[in-house]
Amino acid sequence: MRLRSITASVILACATCVAPAALGTGAESSAIQPCPEVNDPPSYSFSKSSTAWMATNLRSDYLRGPGTITYNKTATSTVNASITGTTSAEAGVIFAKASVSLAVSVGASYSKSDSWSYAATVPAGKAMRLQQYKEGRAFTVQKYRIVPPCKTKYLWTKKVKAPVKNASYLWQLVS
């Protein structure tokens, strides 16, 4: 009889130790994972944003000055972003996230059909033409992921120029 009560006491004592751990109520379940982002997909960070004027496809013929050069046409103005070494799907993600981070909408390209009219004076002795520029943003993007033990691993850094999705243009004389 004594053996039976000792065995019952041991079993009862072990049950009180094992049950909380098995049910997730012991110290093991209250431990917080130190870095839950370890298994997340890569992320992007954006920095060094500045205004960049990007040359479009619209330009006049050259004129040797002195004289006035005029551009007066109905045409489609287009400009494309510059980012190398990324897939189009990844570039789309970058432009969407950059638009949020930079607080201005940028994209892979921009085009607008319109009647364009602009004139400028070419100085004497110079051969120049009118060039249209589209407002854009130049910025640096870094792709990174969190790796154990909760460290940032940078996968790459790229400089990007992307057109802003608005109708902001500039015409300049260029050589």
Side-chain angles (χ1 to χ4, degrees):
M1 182 75 142
R2 186 152 211 259
L3 183 59
R4 215 184 259 173
S5 70
I6 291 175
T7 305
S9 296
V10 170
I11 291 174
L12 185 60
C14 287
T16 58
C17 295
V18 173
L23 295 173
T25 58
E28 296 83 13
S29 68
S30 64
I32 298 173
Q33 186 176 353
C35 195
E37 303 89 358
V38 166
N39 295 321
D40 286 355
S43 295
Y44 302 91
S45 65
F46 303 91
S47 62
K48 299 179 185 174
S49 173
S50 62
T51 300
W53 290 96
M54 304 171 68
T56 70
N57 62 312
L58 299 185
R59 62 189 59 86
S60 69
D61 292 330
Y62 281 96
L63 174 73
R64 179 163 295 284
T68 300
I69 192 167
T70 304
Y71 186 90
N72 192 9
K73 289 184 183 176
T74 298
T76 301
S77 172
T78 60
V79 65
N80 295 312
S82 64
I83 184 170
T84 58
T86 59
T87 64
S88 59
E90 183 174 40
V93 170
I94 290 169
F95 294 128
K97 291 181 182 268
S99 294
V100 172
S101 179
L102 304 175
V104 64
S105 185
V106 295
S109 64
Y110 185 84
S111 67
K112 179 177 173 129
S113 295
D114 207 344
S115 293
W116 308 97
S117 183
Y118 196 82
T121 303
V122 177
K126 302 263 185 174
M128 303 183 93
R129 68 179 177 184
L130 282 169
Q131 171 69 57
Q132 184 191 61
Y133 293 87
K134 171 73 184 86
E135 182 185 2
R137 289 293 181 275
F139 57 92
T140 300
V141 59
Q142 287 187 305
K143 182 178 182 179
Y144 67 93
R145 78 175 331 128
I146 306 300
V147 297
C150 209
K151 294 191 181 255
T152 302
K153 178 181 179 184
Y154 290 97
L155 305 172
W156 51 251
T157 300
K158 296 179 188 284
K159 293 184 185 226
V160 179
K161 274 189 187 175
V164 174
K165 294 183 179 181
N166 67 17
S168 180
Y169 294 93
L170 171 71
W171 288 87
Q172 284 189 327
L173 285 171
V174 295
S175 299

